[in-house]
């Protein structure tokens, strides 16, 4: 149980770090623990992010979840470049949405209960 919680907290931390690396100074994080899933919603502003980086973010977070490799991925988090960490988060979640509204970045990821 503790390991599952630690994975969720590391995912949340890495999402906030990604926003920080794109100049955000105002953050809001919601974590909703439901019976069948965990939902993370990060809102950050002001974000300075290129169209290319937005596309890469969407692509990385849409990677299919790889439960069989998850233990290895989770241990790598925090030890790599920002794009790699976002890719790792993508491989640990089941669904993702990314929106940019002006200078506010909103990232929503869903992780189904194992």
């Amino acid at each position: 149980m503790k390991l599952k919680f630690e994975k969720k907290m590391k995912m949340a931390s890495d999402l906030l770090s990604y926003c920080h690396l794109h100049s955000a100074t105002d953050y809001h994080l919601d974590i909703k623990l439901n019976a069948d899933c965990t939902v993370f919603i990060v809102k950050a502003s002001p974000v300075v992010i290129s169209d290319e980086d937005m596309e890469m973010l969407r692509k990385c977070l849409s990677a299919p979840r790889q439960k069989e490799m998850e233990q290895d991925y989770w241990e790598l988090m925090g030890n790599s470049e920002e794009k790699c960490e976002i890719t790792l988060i993508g491989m640990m979640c089941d669904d993702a949405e990314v929106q940019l509204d002006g200078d506010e970045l909103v990232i929503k990821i869903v992780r189904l209960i194992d």
Side-chain angles (χ1 to χ4, degrees), residues 79-108:
N79 297 323
S80 56
E81 296 294 321
E82 67 179 90
K83 289 180 184 171
C84 293
E85 289 180 6
I86 290 298
T87 301
L88 296 175
I89 290 172
M91 291 180 184
M92 293 177 69
C93 70
D94 295 285
D95 190 33
E97 296 175 21
V98 179
Q99 297 176 349
L100 186 62
D101 184 15
D103 66 355
E104 181 181 63
L105 178 63
V106 179
I107 302 171
K108 176 181 176 183

